[in-house]
Amino acid sequence: MASSSNWVMESGDVPHVLAVDDNLIDRKLVEKLLRNTSCKVTTAENGPRALEFLGLTSGEQNPLNGRSKVNLVITDYCMPGMTGYELLKKIKESSEMKEIPVVIMSSENIPTRINKCMEEGAQMFMLKPLKQSDVKKLTCQLMMNRDCEI
């Protein structure tokens, strides 16, 4: 029985975010913005690396492989090899991981792409470049702090 409570933040916990982007500059920017809001950040340069970190590579049935729990995955949409949409689908297909919120980022505002991601279970779709206010809103939601000033 899967429960979303596994991924809900306890007060005082530091959110752990997996940030996935093939562009080093974008990845560093997202990492910096997340660290500014007191998040623990792990980065991956592509979808397969993210799946490996999550323990979802083919043949492995041991999510996270004993690593610390991830509270959120934020991924670029357009990446070589595996798109953010394909990564989202893999995460949502996993019984162990499907409760983790996944946020998709893109520099392109394409309504059909946004709708497709939201229908597949994305928590949010954000346009790049991300701003500190975007990330603050995201972490406030993650920590379920209704008193956050955005």
Side-chain angles (χ1 to χ4, degrees):
M1 183 168 76
S3 168
S4 60
S5 64
N6 293 343
W7 307 106
V8 171
M9 295 298 305
E10 302 287 330
S11 61
D13 279 359
V14 175
H16 184 187
V17 181
L18 176 59
V20 189
D21 200 315
D22 60 309
N23 182 301
L24 178 64
I25 293 166
D26 286 343
R27 198 165 61 239
K28 290 291 183 191
L29 173 65
V30 170
E31 182 178 10
K32 182 178 186 320
L33 293 174
L34 286 164
R35 288 190 195 279
N36 285 349
T37 57
S38 302
C39 289
K40 177 182 175 183
V41 184
T42 300
T43 60
E45 66 272 15
N46 57 41
R49 285 266 192 226
L51 291 175
E52 188 179 307
F53 178 79
L54 294 169
L56 294 177
T57 50
S58 56
E60 285 187 50
Q61 295 300 316
N62 185 14
L64 289 180
N65 290 325
R67 293 188 183 96
S68 59
K69 177 172 67 177
V70 172
N71 303 99
L72 174 75
V73 175
I74 184 165
T75 180
D76 185 25
Y77 180 89
C78 202
M79 298 182 291
M82 176 185 279
T83 66
Y85 175 73
E86 292 166 327
L87 176 60
L88 167 69
K89 284 179 66 169
K90 292 268 189 206
I91 292 170
K92 294 304 175 184
E93 286 167 4
S94 163
S95 60
E96 294 289 326
M97 297 282 149
K98 67 181 179 188
E99 299 296 337
I100 299 177
V102 178
V103 173
I104 307 282
M105 311 176 282
S106 179
S107 55
E108 301 170 310
N109 188 0
I110 302 172
T112 53
R113 178 182 291 175
I114 296 169
N115 292 338
K116 187 169 83 167
C117 290
M118 298 305 284
E119 286 168 9
E120 196 60 47
Q123 183 83 13
M124 196 182 294
F125 194 101
M126 301 175 109
L127 287 176
K128 291 163 108 179
L130 293 189
K131 301 179 288 298
Q132 192 69 60
S133 58
D134 295 329
V135 173
K136 188 171 182 189
K137 184 165 76 174
L138 188 63
T139 54
C140 282
Q141 278 190 354
L142 181 63
M143 297 176 82
M144 295 187 175
N145 185 346
R146 313 264 187 282
D147 300 327
C148 282
E149 289 181 31
I150 300 167

